[in-house]
């Protein structure tokens, strides 16, 4: 059987980062930045007031209470030339440029709120309530580095440095397709011998959670021709394809039957449990990566975590490798077949991890109750309660 790490290495050696494209910043959410972004100006670009109040010379309000004449108002966005002489004050609003000659702002709460004359009851030291030009960002500073995932805050700083468009690696478009004559769409009556199809919903959600775009193509029967017809139709919108089911050793394995003759997809046994039957390769003229995962729900999900999620990171130009792990103490004994790396569903709480009841690869409810996977190495068949184990947080 093929080692887990080698299977992942083969996948990462095949997938490539998506080509960058320039998009409006509103469309950049979730994408990965493909350039360094620097600010052309300092932020703030000018000294301005951090509060509503009065621009003053600090020396004029050192001894309080003091009453001074108000010579005008300065609002946010004021583009006039404002200056302040000794013994005078100007009303100023939050964000308004500081008048020349002023070196402090007295918050309105420290005054009687006067408009012609104002009584100031507390001294304001130099620099009080002033946002200095460049105190956040200096002109030329890089505010975002290539490889940053763009979230709301990143879109905010892009707009804040005047960018309307930005170069990104787009979110991969991933088509998810389930196979099996026994599958019925949720919400429809359940016939004899049928189950409601869940894998494509689960995997499409996992794709979106991984920062890509997941598109459900529904499910097809066990007819290889139907599978290929559906796959061909979906390749036009796909940067990657995930299938579930149809890759085991028995009869009626449409994915294996349809793709094996192409010679570009390899089907192998990987030394893991759950999820031993795996397939990976490329399809179509654009050599779109295709992940053919097992049909049992837990096998399919674990395979996604181990193989597909790192590949999606690589396609976005992000560092990619095996899932991150933490160390924890297991609260009960665990078992694993010899020669296979096991991934046991568990609940991680602080520094302890408890295996959930029901480790069958079909037991989706147990997976839904878990928040972690205990990793049992290939050379271990059992670990006692209290053993320290590697854990993949989900």
């Amino acid at each position: 059987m093929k080692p887990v790490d080698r299977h992942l290495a083969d996948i990462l050696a095949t997938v490539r980062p998506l080509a960058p494209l320039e998009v409006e910043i509103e469309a950049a959410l979730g994408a990965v930045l493909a350039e360094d972004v620097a600010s052309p100006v300092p932020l703030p670009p000018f000294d301005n007031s951090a509060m509503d109040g009065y621009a003053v010379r600090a020396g004029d309000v050192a001894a309080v209470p003091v009453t001074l004449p108000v010579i005008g108002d300065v609002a946010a966005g004021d583009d006039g030339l404002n200056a302040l002489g000794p013994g005078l004050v100007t009303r100023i609003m939050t964000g308004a440029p500081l008048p020349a000659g002023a070196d402090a702002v007295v918050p309105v709460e420290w005054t009687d709120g006067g408009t012609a004359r104002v009584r100031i009851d507390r001294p304001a030291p130099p620099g009080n309530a002033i946002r200095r030009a460049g105190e956040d960002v200096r002109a030329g500073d890089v505010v975002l580095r290539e490889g940053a995932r763009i979230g709301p805050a990143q879109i905010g700083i892009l707009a804040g440095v005047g960018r309307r468009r930005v170069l990104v690696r787009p979110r991969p478009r991933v088509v998810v397709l389930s196979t099996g004559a026994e599958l019925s769409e949720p919400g429809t009556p359940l016939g004899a011998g049928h189950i409601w199809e869940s894998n494509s919903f689960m995997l499409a959600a996992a794709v979106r959670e991984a920062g890509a775009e997941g598109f459900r193509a529904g499910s097809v029967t066990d007819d290889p021709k139907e599978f290929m017809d559906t796959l061909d139709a979906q390749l036009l919108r796909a940067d990657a394809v995930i299938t579930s089911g149809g890759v085991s050793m028995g009869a009626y394995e449409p994915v294996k039957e349809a793709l094996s003759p192409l010679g570009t997809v390899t089907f192998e046994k990987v030394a893991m449990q759950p999820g031993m039957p795996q397939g990976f390769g490329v399809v179509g003229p654009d050599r779109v990566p295709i992940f053919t995962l097992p049909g049992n729900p837990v096998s399919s999900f674990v395979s996604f975590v181990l193989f597909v999620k790192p590949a999606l990171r690589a396609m976005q130009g992000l560092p990619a490798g095996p899932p991150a792990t933490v160390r924890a103490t297991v609260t009960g004994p665990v078992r694993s077949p010899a020669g296979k790396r096991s991934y046991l569903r568990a609940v991680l709480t602080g520094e302890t991890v408890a295996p959930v009841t029901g480790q069958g690869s079909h037991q989706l409810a147990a997976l839904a109750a878990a928040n972690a996977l205990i990793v049992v190495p290939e050379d271990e068949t059992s670990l006692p309660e209290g053993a320290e184990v590697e854990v993949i947080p989900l």
Side-chain angles (χ1 to χ4, degrees):
M1 287 185 289
K2 186 180 185 181
V4 171
D5 295 334
R6 188 191 306 164
H7 189 61
L8 175 58
D10 288 347
I11 289 171
L12 295 180
T14 301
V15 299
R16 294 288 180 266
L18 298 181
L21 72 158
E22 194 175 56
V23 299
E24 297 281 335
I25 59 173
E26 292 95 334
L29 183 66
V32 173
L33 194 61
E35 61 171 322
D36 288 347
V37 175
S39 178
V41 298
L43 295 182
F46 49 85
D47 292 352
N48 68 90
S49 178
M51 304 182 74
D52 292 340
Y54 298 84
V56 302
R57 292 174 180 252
D60 292 340
V61 296
V64 292
V66 61
T67 299
L68 299 172
V70 179
I71 62 169
D73 293 347
V74 184
D78 191 314
D79 58 0
L81 297 176
N82 296 287
L84 191 66
L88 305 173
V89 305
T90 297
R91 283 206 310 170
I92 193 167
M93 311 309 159
T94 302
L98 194 69
D103 61 359
V105 171
V106 177
V108 69
E109 293 86 357
W110 298 1
T111 75
D112 66 355
T115 56
R117 298 179 65 82
V118 61
R119 188 187 75 245
I120 297 172
D121 298 319
R122 288 178 57 179
N128 189 70
I130 294 174
R131 303 166 177 158
R132 292 297 182 188
E135 71 174 31
D136 185 16
V137 176
R138 295 170 300 179
D141 279 356
V142 174
V143 295
L144 289 175
R145 294 285 181 185
E146 179 180 358
R149 174 85 72 184
I150 299 176
Q154 288 71 36
I155 288 177
I157 190 61
L158 286 170
V161 300
R163 293 296 291 268
R164 197 67 184 83
R165 298 176 66 83
V166 66
L167 193 67
V168 301
R169 295 194 189 275
R171 299 170 64 186
R173 301 165 301 165
V174 183
V175 169
V176 181
L177 177 62
S178 294
T179 65
E182 77 281 12
L183 301 178
S184 294
E185 190 76 3
T188 64
L190 198 61
H194 280 239
I195 59 172
W196 284 304
E197 195 275 310
S198 59
N199 281 2
S200 68
F201 290 92
M202 175 180 67
L203 293 171
V207 166
R208 290 190 289 270
E209 191 175 60
E213 295 185 24
F215 302 100
R216 283 187 63 246
S219 61
V220 298
T221 65
D222 293 327
D223 180 0
K225 183 178 184 307
E226 181 189 356
F227 169 78
M228 281 304 296
D229 288 344
T230 303
L231 177 62
D232 287 342
Q234 294 295 327
L235 285 179
L236 292 173
R237 65 167 177 171
D239 297 310
V241 176
I242 304 171
T243 69
S244 64
V247 295
S248 293
M249 306 305 295
Y252 306 109
E253 303 295 348
V255 176
K256 205 171 192 179
E257 290 182 45
L259 297 180
S260 291
L262 300 180
T264 58
V265 181
T266 302
F267 296 90
E268 300 174 283
K269 294 181 179 179
V270 177
M272 59 186 284
Q273 181 175 293
M276 181 180 68
Q278 294 286 333
F280 173 75
V282 294
V283 291
D286 294 328
R287 297 181 62 80
V288 174
I290 184 167
F291 304 83
T292 64
L293 309 184
N296 279 318
V298 179
S299 301
S300 196
F301 181 80
V302 171
S303 300
F304 180 92
V305 171
L306 298 181
F307 305 127
V308 184
K309 189 173 182 180
L312 293 179
R313 287 183 58 83
M315 293 174 72
Q316 295 172 84
L318 296 171
T325 62
V326 297
R327 302 288 291 182
T329 301
V330 68
T331 62
V334 295
R335 302 185 64 82
S336 175
K340 290 185 178 182
R341 189 181 300 179
S342 285
Y343 298 89
L344 307 177
R345 280 75 71 204
V347 175
L348 177 65
T349 307
E351 298 181 354
T352 64
V353 62
V356 301
T357 302
Q359 292 291 335
S361 59
H362 63 291
Q363 292 179 294
L364 189 54
L367 175 64
N371 67 356
L373 299 172
I374 297 172
V375 183
V376 183
E378 293 88 339
D379 56 354
E380 299 281 2
T381 57
S382 64
L383 293 172
E385 178 182 347
E388 190 176 57
V389 293
E390 293 287 335
V391 179
I392 300 172
L394 299 176

